Amino acid sequence: MKIGVFVCHCGSNIEATVDTATVAKIALTYPDVVFSEDTMYTCSEPGQENIVQAIKKHGLDGVVVASCSPRMHEPTFRRTVERAGLNRYMFEMANIREHVSWIGRDREANTNKAAELVRLAVEKLRRNAPLYAKQFDVTKRVLVIGGGVAGIQAALDAAESGIGVVMVERESTIGGKMAKLDKTFPTIDCSSCVLAPKMVDVAQNPNITLYAHSEVESISGFVGNFTVKIRKRATYVDWDKCTGCGTCTEKCPTKNVPDAFNEDISTCRAINIPFPQAIPKKATINPDYCRKIKEGKCGVCAKVCPTGAIVYDMVDEIVEEKVGAIIAATGYDLVDWTVYKEYGGGTYPDVITSLQYERMMSASGPTAGHIHRPSDGMEPKNIVFIQCVGSRDCSIGRPYCSGFCCMYTAKQAIMTKDHLPDAEAFVFYMDIRAPGKMYDEFTRRAQEEYGVQYIRGRVSAIQPTVRPDGRVGYIVRGADTLLGESVEVDADMVVLAVGVEGSKGAGNLAEKLRISYDHYGFFMESHVKLRPVETNTAGVYLAGVCQGPKDIPASVAQGSAAAAKVMALFSKPKLENDPQVSVVDIKRCVACGKCIQVCPYQAIEEVEIRGQKKAHVIETVCQGCGVCTATCPQGAIQVAHFTDNQLLAEVNALCLS
Amino acid sequence: MSVLAGKELRIVGFLCNWCSYGGADTAGTARAVQPTDLRIIRVPCSGRVNPLFVLKALINGADGVLVSGCHPRDCHYSAGNYYARRRLELLKEFLPVIGINPDRFEYTWVSASEGQRWKDVVTNFTNRIHALGPAPRWEDVPARYDRPEELIESIRPLGCGEHPALPELRQAVKDALAEGLEGVLGWKKGFDAVHAEPVFMTTPEEVDSLIWGPFNVHNLAVYLPQYKGRKIGVVVKGCDSKGVVELLAENLISREDVKIFGMGCNGTVSLPRILAKLPEGVKIESCTGRGNKITVTAGGQDYEMTMAEVAQDKCRLCTKPNAVLSDVFVGTPTTEPAAPADGRLPGLRFLDSLSLEERMGYWKGQMERCIACHACRGACPMCVCRDYCVSDTRDPAWVTQEDTVQQKLFFQLIHAQHLAGRCTGCTECERACPMDIPVFALKQQFGRMIQKIFSYGAGLDVNATPPLLTYQVEEPTIKEHDLA
């Protein structure tokens, strides 16, 4: 075998702490290495051309590139060697950037380590074999999980291109958080006026199948061929018959049900339609409150329903859908702000969240758009907004910025002035983060045009007091760090800009999707810069805040981007499998069946070959995890590209002197 | 490859491609400075990591080995890390028996988003290995040859007289042959009075040669897989029956193909213990057993001995003297004693009393004698690879032909690892060893830890799944090893 080694400087990223020329020189002493050199930027056009030329000139049949992580550029260089006529799997990478130059300061140790990693790659490459992909059919349908604005955009774009869409929404209506908003920044556009037409489009598009009040139960399969089980939670109303007339809701005698759509600042009936523009506009019974379901008494809704849609004994139903790709757009929930005992921890009635305030200002909300504070219904005069509650706060383990709170706080302060021209709005902030089109101008308008008082500093405590007129007030104590003095504001109401985290149950879903997620419930993208909507699981994409905090336009853009990724995936008539799958050596197989037992994909079957039972791998089902290889006592089943001999060669290269 | 003299130790990492390798990349991208010792081998999944890779690295002189995968519930391949968790936990518990400090091996979970956690894992593990210092080298450890022969007190009465139900057993076998069994495996008298040998009985005359008693040492379950698909019978002692059950549980033989004949066992003998009581090379003329006493006549002289002196260790601690599964059971079952509370395990008791380095020396001393005949493998009823043992091939090349203690011990480690959770403790490996190497201790250590972690004993239930071939999402008996 003739191996060529290319050691990349990556500008100074590697060269600064690794002597690449020495690494290249040492590499020449390794078995089968006939050519070795250090190059400035191996991944650049001339860098790649250099590899192609070297393959041709020196008759190389294998290439090692020592540079960045294979998770970054392995696909790049595989294409390069393919251009020069080699099989793409006759290539190995040594990660001397992320795993060497960027984490070690000692140039001598780094150089030695880099040379050893090249040795590992060479030893593995010497045992590589050309691999060839198999083709398989694709189900050209996409599952969109979450019907917020990101999911809606993704669904509409995909459906527009002719792709079948299955949308699963946990709530009884789509719309997500955006449907709860009164206005949007920086234009003070009416949120539901912008969103509602899109929601209607979802309902009317023949390519979209909507499962509301439903959750993903399980996901099996792989890119191109996922099988999704969806739990349609019992609504106790036959939605095929329900016309959304609302008579049941009017007549229902149970009126003390916390209204989740209105963020619990009001109550609704036990049978309810969340809001007038709900899609689907269908009633749902809350079984925790319905007297008929709980106690067997009542039955008013069934009596008044003109279409006979009420079904008190409805049970959850599991439906199965086949899809080829999945877009997760599960959005966010607010951080549990009740950990802030200095803000009352949820016990002061007039200290509310920004989302509650949003519902209060909304014409479709419980107060029909009038701002009344919850405790006594008084129109507040002094309103304090506190930013970064649960954001950028390491003391509660939330180091990150939630991104859009500065903007909506400015919007809410402006709206406050619109609703109550005599009111005073105060904003306590850490920094104003407004890096978007027309954003900074918007926060300035709040201050300059509307006279919102911005105070740079954190609030240390909210102290409830009783005023001479007997009403309750709230002394907001904080620091003004620009003036270097403490401040006190006598507030009637306090609005907390609570930070966001991944939607409740996001971790659970990530496990079903087999994608990574962080401590905060945000899903991990494939590459933070270059693959922001892909995940490391082929065929699974991300849209919206489920990936990290972002505002509406960014969520919409990501929804479209995810849909575009799905379209690209589905543009091919067939998909190719990754040939790094397991292969059975039928001579060695004794058909003990242990591999069949442990395979997570049921990708191994027992077959009879010339009268003898043997294990057989279904190549397009196998995902190449190698659990079978680690199980087979005879070593008869080997996962290609990570065979026992390849890993043993690496171990021996490291451990045998 | 030399490590950087004096600065670094040899630490090998196996990282799954999707989570931990990504986590290491994330740490790198964040310029999270770490010790430079670790060398990372990328694998698709922690479930790909055969524990033998770890053993290979450690036997070959690695100072530390780290395996890191996706967090439980977050495996890219949905379940690979669950298998890894069981295998690696067991491996960690196994290491001390061969004299390797279990702190030199660790496994943990780091996700692709956890750069900081990865930095902490590397830093803490590297610091731990540096605190332990370089691993002792096999070349440097002094070999030990001491091996006190201790006679474990039996937990039950042992006997060697003629079994009263033997005629009944013979008749049952004859009946079964008449009903169409192709043959029945049993024992007949061997070349002298103290040796028995296996017989495949196909005629009534052959059945008359069937014997039962303390010399029926062989576990005949070992022959069953080669008769797969043919209708045969097998005569079993309690311990042999566990082998049959395990073969059935693993679908290596079919229940409908094998008829099991059982009889209560009163113990078998260790031939080396008998021979040690006779002059070397003397010809044995006859042997009689009565109650607990054996009288061997050799060279014209009588030698008296008791079962308490010459019984095999496994018989002294046997709690299953009757077949755990049989189609025909003749005679009165032997009283089954309760397991001793002190968990005494011959072989391991001595090893447990040694320091880690002394254990390494012990295995060095023992394995020096190994002639690599692989009789241990041939006698093992659970070694079903037969002609396709991984030690007999270059593809994969787990062992080389080098005549070193490491290579020979590694073969034993392969055997023990393949038997983890499957070994029924028949000790045939050790009995078959012509060099009298106590190889069973390795399987016993796995067995002890399988019992401790999974409360599982092999060969008792045909419907059981060996613990390494399955998993639980929550493993109540496995503690997370947090290095961060």
Side-chain angles (χ1 to χ4, degrees), chain B residues 392-416:
Chain B
D392 293 344
T393 174
R394 293 291 153 79
D395 191 14
W398 284 99
V399 288
T400 69
Q401 299 310 101
E402 272 177 300
D403 183 30
T404 61
V405 164
Q406 291 100 303
Q407 292 295 332
K408 292 189 285 195
L409 178 61
F410 197 75
F411 170 76
Q412 293 301 330
L413 296 177
I414 292 175
H415 193 180

PDB file of all heavy atoms in Angstrom, chain B residues 392-416:
ATOM      1  N   ASP B 392      -7.560 -18.276  17.050  1.00  0.00           N
ATOM      2  CA  ASP B 392      -6.926 -19.123  16.030  1.00  0.00           C
ATOM      3  C   ASP B 392      -6.912 -18.475  14.652  1.00  0.00           C
ATOM      4  O   ASP B 392      -6.780 -19.157  13.653  1.00  0.00           O
ATOM      5  CB  ASP B 392      -7.684 -20.457  15.902  1.00  0.00           C
ATOM      6  CG  ASP B 392      -7.541 -21.304  17.143  1.00  0.00           C
ATOM      7  OD1 ASP B 392      -6.630 -21.001  17.940  1.00  0.00           O
ATOM      8  OD2 ASP B 392      -8.324 -22.247  17.319  1.00  0.00           O
ATOM      9  N   THR B 393      -7.099 -17.176  14.593  1.00  0.00           N
ATOM     10  CA  THR B 393      -7.194 -16.549  13.285  1.00  0.00           C
ATOM     11  C   THR B 393      -6.422 -15.240  13.286  1.00  0.00           C
ATOM     12  O   THR B 393      -6.111 -14.693  14.347  1.00  0.00           O
ATOM     13  CB  THR B 393      -8.679 -16.299  12.919  1.00  0.00           C
ATOM     14  OG1 THR B 393      -8.733 -15.557  11.712  1.00  0.00           O
ATOM     15  CG2 THR B 393      -9.407 -15.532  13.997  1.00  0.00           C
ATOM     16  N   ARG B 394      -6.112 -14.760  12.098  1.00  0.00           N
ATOM     17  CA  ARG B 394      -5.495 -13.437  11.991  1.00  0.00           C
ATOM     18  C   ARG B 394      -6.545 -12.383  11.693  1.00  0.00           C
ATOM     19  O   ARG B 394      -6.238 -11.210  11.580  1.00  0.00           O
ATOM     20  CB  ARG B 394      -4.448 -13.429  10.871  1.00  0.00           C
ATOM     21  CG  ARG B 394      -3.264 -14.287  11.177  1.00  0.00           C
ATOM     22  CD  ARG B 394      -2.461 -13.656  12.311  1.00  0.00           C
ATOM     23  NE  ARG B 394      -1.727 -14.669  13.061  1.00  0.00           N
ATOM     24  CZ  ARG B 394      -0.614 -15.211  12.657  1.00  0.00           C
ATOM     25  NH1 ARG B 394      -0.079 -14.842  11.548  1.00  0.00           N
ATOM     26  NH2 ARG B 394       0.003 -16.121  13.373  1.00  0.00           N
ATOM     27  N   ASP B 395      -7.758 -12.844  11.477  1.00  0.00           N
ATOM     28  CA  ASP B 395      -8.800 -11.899  11.100  1.00  0.00           C
ATOM     29  C   ASP B 395     -10.069 -12.203  11.867  1.00  0.00           C
ATOM     30  O   ASP B 395     -10.910 -12.961  11.429  1.00  0.00           O
ATOM     31  CB  ASP B 395      -9.060 -12.009   9.578  1.00  0.00           C
ATOM     32  CG  ASP B 395      -9.941 -10.879   9.100  1.00  0.00           C
ATOM     33  OD1 ASP B 395     -10.121  -9.912   9.861  1.00  0.00           O
ATOM     34  OD2 ASP B 395     -10.456 -10.963   7.973  1.00  0.00           O
ATOM     35  N   PRO B 396     -10.260 -11.638  12.994  1.00  0.00           N
ATOM     36  CA  PRO B 396      -9.437 -10.633  13.689  1.00  0.00           C
ATOM     37  C   PRO B 396      -8.232 -11.231  14.429  1.00  0.00           C
ATOM     38  O   PRO B 396      -8.286 -12.375  14.856  1.00  0.00           O
ATOM     39  CB  PRO B 396     -10.418 -10.033  14.690  1.00  0.00           C
ATOM     40  CG  PRO B 396     -11.402 -11.120  14.965  1.00  0.00           C
ATOM     41  CD  PRO B 396     -11.518 -11.915  13.702  1.00  0.00           C
ATOM     42  N   ALA B 397      -7.213 -10.417  14.594  1.00  0.00           N
ATOM     43  CA  ALA B 397      -5.961 -10.893  15.174  1.00  0.00           C
ATOM     44  C   ALA B 397      -5.845 -10.474  16.643  1.00  0.00           C
ATOM     45  O   ALA B 397      -5.062  -9.605  16.991  1.00  0.00           O
ATOM     46  CB  ALA B 397      -4.786 -10.340  14.368  1.00  0.00           C
ATOM     47  N   TRP B 398      -6.633 -11.109  17.479  1.00  0.00           N
ATOM     48  CA  TRP B 398      -6.617 -10.720  18.900  1.00  0.00           C
ATOM     49  C   TRP B 398      -5.357 -11.179  19.603  1.00  0.00           C
ATOM     50  O   TRP B 398      -4.862 -10.503  20.494  1.00  0.00           O
ATOM     51  CB  TRP B 398      -7.849 -11.279  19.609  1.00  0.00           C
ATOM     52  CG  TRP B 398      -9.102 -10.529  19.318  1.00  0.00           C
ATOM     53  CD1 TRP B 398     -10.071 -10.859  18.432  1.00  0.00           C
ATOM     54  CD2 TRP B 398      -9.524  -9.293  19.911  1.00  0.00           C
ATOM     55  NE1 TRP B 398     -11.069  -9.912  18.437  1.00  0.00           N
ATOM     56  CE2 TRP B 398     -10.766  -8.938  19.341  1.00  0.00           C
ATOM     57  CE3 TRP B 398      -8.974  -8.451  20.880  1.00  0.00           C
ATOM     58  CZ2 TRP B 398     -11.458  -7.786  19.684  1.00  0.00           C
ATOM     59  CZ3 TRP B 398      -9.668  -7.300  21.236  1.00  0.00           C
ATOM     60  CH2 TRP B 398     -10.882  -6.978  20.644  1.00  0.00           C
ATOM     61  N   VAL B 399      -4.897 -12.373  19.259  1.00  0.00           N
ATOM     62  CA  VAL B 399      -3.651 -12.829  19.899  1.00  0.00           C
ATOM     63  C   VAL B 399      -2.638 -13.147  18.811  1.00  0.00           C
ATOM     64  O   VAL B 399      -3.001 -13.517  17.695  1.00  0.00           O
ATOM     65  CB  VAL B 399      -3.854 -14.080  20.784  1.00  0.00           C
ATOM     66  CG1 VAL B 399      -4.594 -13.743  22.040  1.00  0.00           C
ATOM     67  CG2 VAL B 399      -4.557 -15.179  20.022  1.00  0.00           C
ATOM     68  N   THR B 400      -1.376 -12.999  19.175  1.00  0.00           N
ATOM     69  CA  THR B 400      -0.317 -13.336  18.223  1.00  0.00           C
ATOM     70  C   THR B 400       0.255 -14.682  18.643  1.00  0.00           C
ATOM     71  O   THR B 400      -0.156 -15.265  19.639  1.00  0.00           O
ATOM     72  CB  THR B 400       0.789 -12.273  18.233  1.00  0.00           C
ATOM     73  OG1 THR B 400       1.465 -12.371  19.494  1.00  0.00           O
ATOM     74  CG2 THR B 400       0.219 -10.882  18.066  1.00  0.00           C
ATOM     75  N   GLN B 401       1.211 -15.172  17.880  1.00  0.00           N
ATOM     76  CA  GLN B 401       1.825 -16.454  18.235  1.00  0.00           C
ATOM     77  C   GLN B 401       2.999 -16.257  19.197  1.00  0.00           C
ATOM     78  O   GLN B 401       3.669 -17.215  19.533  1.00  0.00           O
ATOM     79  CB  GLN B 401       2.319 -17.164  16.969  1.00  0.00           C
ATOM     80  CG  GLN B 401       1.230 -17.481  15.974  1.00  0.00           C
ATOM     81  CD  GLN B 401       0.029 -18.179  16.583  1.00  0.00           C
ATOM     82  OE1 GLN B 401      -0.991 -17.563  16.849  1.00  0.00           O
ATOM     83  NE2 GLN B 401       0.163 -19.463  16.839  1.00  0.00           N
ATOM     84  N   GLU B 402       3.224 -15.019  19.601  1.00  0.00           N
ATOM     85  CA  GLU B 402       4.338 -14.764  20.514  1.00  0.00           C
ATOM     86  C   GLU B 402       4.200 -15.607  21.782  1.00  0.00           C
ATOM     87  O   GLU B 402       3.113 -15.688  22.353  1.00  0.00           O
ATOM     88  CB  GLU B 402       4.308 -13.302  20.961  1.00  0.00           C
ATOM     89  CG  GLU B 402       5.044 -12.340  20.090  1.00  0.00           C
ATOM     90  CD  GLU B 402       4.845 -10.932  20.630  1.00  0.00           C
ATOM     91  OE1 GLU B 402       3.680 -10.497  20.705  1.00  0.00           O
ATOM     92  OE2 GLU B 402       5.833 -10.307  20.993  1.00  0.00           O
ATOM     93  N   ASP B 403       5.283 -16.177  22.222  1.00  0.00           N
ATOM     94  CA  ASP B 403       5.243 -17.012  23.412  1.00  0.00           C
ATOM     95  C   ASP B 403       5.507 -16.146  24.643  1.00  0.00           C
ATOM     96  O   ASP B 403       6.559 -16.231  25.266  1.00  0.00           O
ATOM     97  CB  ASP B 403       6.285 -18.136  23.285  1.00  0.00           C
ATOM     98  CG  ASP B 403       6.219 -19.069  24.474  1.00  0.00           C
ATOM     99  OD1 ASP B 403       5.128 -19.225  25.045  1.00  0.00           O
ATOM    100  OD2 ASP B 403       7.274 -19.632  24.832  1.00  0.00           O
ATOM    101  N   THR B 404       4.573 -15.258  24.944  1.00  0.00           N
ATOM    102  CA  THR B 404       4.757 -14.396  26.113  1.00  0.00           C
ATOM    103  C   THR B 404       3.613 -14.633  27.091  1.00  0.00           C
ATOM    104  O   THR B 404       2.537 -15.092  26.716  1.00  0.00           O
ATOM    105  CB  THR B 404       4.739 -12.904  25.726  1.00  0.00           C
ATOM    106  OG1 THR B 404       3.470 -12.616  25.143  1.00  0.00           O
ATOM    107  CG2 THR B 404       5.835 -12.556  24.755  1.00  0.00           C
ATOM    108  N   VAL B 405       3.889 -14.304  28.329  1.00  0.00           N
ATOM    109  CA  VAL B 405       2.873 -14.422  29.367  1.00  0.00           C
ATOM    110  C   VAL B 405       1.649 -13.574  29.003  1.00  0.00           C
ATOM    111  O   VAL B 405       0.506 -14.005  29.159  1.00  0.00           O
ATOM    112  CB  VAL B 405       3.459 -13.973  30.717  1.00  0.00           C
ATOM    113  CG1 VAL B 405       2.364 -13.698  31.721  1.00  0.00           C
ATOM    114  CG2 VAL B 405       4.415 -15.026  31.245  1.00  0.00           C
ATOM    115  N   GLN B 406       1.895 -12.382  28.431  1.00  0.00           N
ATOM    116  CA  GLN B 406       0.777 -11.513  28.089  1.00  0.00           C
ATOM    117  C   GLN B 406      -0.150 -12.156  27.065  1.00  0.00           C
ATOM    118  O   GLN B 406      -1.361 -12.113  27.193  1.00  0.00           O
ATOM    119  CB  GLN B 406       1.267 -10.165  27.525  1.00  0.00           C
ATOM    120  CG  GLN B 406       1.943  -9.271  28.538  1.00  0.00           C
ATOM    121  CD  GLN B 406       3.445  -9.347  28.420  1.00  0.00           C
ATOM    122  OE1 GLN B 406       4.020 -10.432  28.522  1.00  0.00           O
ATOM    123  NE2 GLN B 406       4.080  -8.210  28.219  1.00  0.00           N
ATOM    124  N   GLN B 407       0.438 -12.754  26.021  1.00  0.00           N
ATOM    125  CA  GLN B 407      -0.391 -13.365  24.981  1.00  0.00           C
ATOM    126  C   GLN B 407      -1.181 -14.537  25.542  1.00  0.00           C
ATOM    127  O   GLN B 407      -2.353 -14.723  25.241  1.00  0.00           O
ATOM    128  CB  GLN B 407       0.471 -13.840  23.800  1.00  0.00           C
ATOM    129  CG  GLN B 407       1.112 -12.721  23.009  1.00  0.00           C
ATOM    130  CD  GLN B 407       0.103 -11.834  22.305  1.00  0.00           C
ATOM    131  OE1 GLN B 407      -0.976 -12.255  21.952  1.00  0.00           O
ATOM    132  NE2 GLN B 407       0.449 -10.566  22.151  1.00  0.00           N
ATOM    133  N   LYS B 408      -0.507 -15.350  26.365  1.00  0.00           N
ATOM    134  CA  LYS B 408      -1.169 -16.539  26.881  1.00  0.00           C
ATOM    135  C   LYS B 408      -2.265 -16.145  27.879  1.00  0.00           C
ATOM    136  O   LYS B 408      -3.345 -16.729  27.895  1.00  0.00           O
ATOM    137  CB  LYS B 408      -0.143 -17.485  27.511  1.00  0.00           C
ATOM    138  CG  LYS B 408       0.779 -18.082  26.437  1.00  0.00           C
ATOM    139  CD  LYS B 408       1.681 -19.184  26.940  1.00  0.00           C
ATOM    140  CE  LYS B 408       2.826 -18.661  27.758  1.00  0.00           C
ATOM    141  NZ  LYS B 408       3.877 -19.692  27.945  1.00  0.00           N
ATOM    142  N   LEU B 409      -1.965 -15.129  28.685  1.00  0.00           N
ATOM    143  CA  LEU B 409      -2.998 -14.661  29.603  1.00  0.00           C
ATOM    144  C   LEU B 409      -4.152 -14.044  28.819  1.00  0.00           C
ATOM    145  O   LEU B 409      -5.322 -14.208  29.174  1.00  0.00           O
ATOM    146  CB  LEU B 409      -2.414 -13.626  30.580  1.00  0.00           C
ATOM    147  CG  LEU B 409      -3.421 -13.033  31.569  1.00  0.00           C
ATOM    148  CD1 LEU B 409      -4.033 -14.118  32.450  1.00  0.00           C
ATOM    149  CD2 LEU B 409      -2.768 -11.966  32.456  1.00  0.00           C
ATOM    150  N   PHE B 410      -3.813 -13.366  27.718  1.00  0.00           N
ATOM    151  CA  PHE B 410      -4.888 -12.720  26.961  1.00  0.00           C
ATOM    152  C   PHE B 410      -5.858 -13.757  26.398  1.00  0.00           C
ATOM    153  O   PHE B 410      -7.060 -13.520  26.346  1.00  0.00           O
ATOM    154  CB  PHE B 410      -4.326 -11.834  25.832  1.00  0.00           C
ATOM    155  CG  PHE B 410      -5.353 -10.868  25.310  1.00  0.00           C
ATOM    156  CD1 PHE B 410      -5.706  -9.753  26.050  1.00  0.00           C
ATOM    157  CD2 PHE B 410      -6.020 -11.105  24.125  1.00  0.00           C
ATOM    158  CE1 PHE B 410      -6.692  -8.884  25.612  1.00  0.00           C
ATOM    159  CE2 PHE B 410      -7.014 -10.250  23.672  1.00  0.00           C
ATOM    160  CZ  PHE B 410      -7.348  -9.136  24.414  1.00  0.00           C
ATOM    161  N   PHE B 411      -5.326 -14.901  26.015  1.00  0.00           N
ATOM    162  CA  PHE B 411      -6.252 -15.953  25.566  1.00  0.00           C
ATOM    163  C   PHE B 411      -7.221 -16.312  26.682  1.00  0.00           C
ATOM    164  O   PHE B 411      -8.426 -16.460  26.469  1.00  0.00           O
ATOM    165  CB  PHE B 411      -5.497 -17.213  25.108  1.00  0.00           C
ATOM    166  CG  PHE B 411      -6.433 -18.360  24.882  1.00  0.00           C
ATOM    167  CD1 PHE B 411      -7.219 -18.416  23.749  1.00  0.00           C
ATOM    168  CD2 PHE B 411      -6.609 -19.343  25.857  1.00  0.00           C
ATOM    169  CE1 PHE B 411      -8.131 -19.438  23.563  1.00  0.00           C
ATOM    170  CE2 PHE B 411      -7.524 -20.371  25.681  1.00  0.00           C
ATOM    171  CZ  PHE B 411      -8.291 -20.412  24.529  1.00  0.00           C
ATOM    172  N   GLN B 412      -6.692 -16.425  27.890  1.00  0.00           N
ATOM    173  CA  GLN B 412      -7.565 -16.751  29.025  1.00  0.00           C
ATOM    174  C   GLN B 412      -8.591 -15.642  29.275  1.00  0.00           C
ATOM    175  O   GLN B 412      -9.717 -15.904  29.672  1.00  0.00           O
ATOM    176  CB  GLN B 412      -6.735 -16.991  30.291  1.00  0.00           C
ATOM    177  CG  GLN B 412      -5.857 -18.237  30.236  1.00  0.00           C
ATOM    178  CD  GLN B 412      -6.689 -19.500  30.000  1.00  0.00           C
ATOM    179  OE1 GLN B 412      -7.853 -19.587  30.399  1.00  0.00           O
ATOM    180  NE2 GLN B 412      -6.110 -20.480  29.334  1.00  0.00           N
ATOM    181  N   LEU B 413      -8.164 -14.403  29.024  1.00  0.00           N
ATOM    182  CA  LEU B 413      -9.086 -13.284  29.228  1.00  0.00           C
ATOM    183  C   LEU B 413     -10.203 -13.316  28.190  1.00  0.00           C
ATOM    184  O   LEU B 413     -11.353 -13.004  28.483  1.00  0.00           O
ATOM    185  CB  LEU B 413      -8.335 -11.947  29.174  1.00  0.00           C
ATOM    186  CG  LEU B 413      -7.297 -11.756  30.286  1.00  0.00           C
ATOM    187  CD1 LEU B 413      -6.552 -10.433  30.096  1.00  0.00           C
ATOM    188  CD2 LEU B 413      -7.954 -11.791  31.654  1.00  0.00           C
ATOM    189  N   ILE B 414      -9.840 -13.685  26.952  1.00  0.00           N
ATOM    190  CA  ILE B 414     -10.872 -13.832  25.916  1.00  0.00           C
ATOM    191  C   ILE B 414     -11.882 -14.884  26.366  1.00  0.00           C
ATOM    192  O   ILE B 414     -13.094 -14.674  26.330  1.00  0.00           O
ATOM    193  CB  ILE B 414     -10.243 -14.261  24.570  1.00  0.00           C
ATOM    194  CG1 ILE B 414      -9.388 -13.140  23.994  1.00  0.00           C
ATOM    195  CG2 ILE B 414     -11.331 -14.661  23.567  1.00  0.00           C
ATOM    196  CD1 ILE B 414      -8.638 -13.531  22.719  1.00  0.00           C
ATOM    197  N   HIS B 415     -11.346 -16.032  26.814  1.00  0.00           N
ATOM    198  CA  HIS B 415     -12.223 -17.126  27.242  1.00  0.00           C
ATOM    199  C   HIS B 415     -13.139 -16.648  28.376  1.00  0.00           C
ATOM    200  O   HIS B 415     -14.357 -16.817  28.338  1.00  0.00           O
ATOM    201  CB  HIS B 415     -11.364 -18.311  27.687  1.00  0.00           C
ATOM    202  CG  HIS B 415     -12.150 -19.585  27.857  1.00  0.00           C
ATOM    203  ND1 HIS B 415     -11.593 -20.759  28.254  1.00  0.00           N
ATOM    204  CD2 HIS B 415     -13.461 -19.846  27.695  1.00  0.00           C
ATOM    205  CE1 HIS B 415     -12.520 -21.711  28.320  1.00  0.00           C
ATOM    206  NE2 HIS B 415     -13.663 -21.167  27.987  1.00  0.00           N
ATOM    207  N   ALA B 416     -12.542 -16.008  29.365  1.00  0.00           N
ATOM    208  CA  ALA B 416     -13.324 -15.570  30.522  1.00  0.00           C
ATOM    209  C   ALA B 416     -14.351 -14.513  30.118  1.00  0.00           C
ATOM    210  O   ALA B 416     -15.512 -14.558  30.534  1.00  0.00           O
ATOM    211  CB  ALA B 416     -12.394 -15.011  31.595  1.00  0.00           C
TER     212      ALA B 416
END
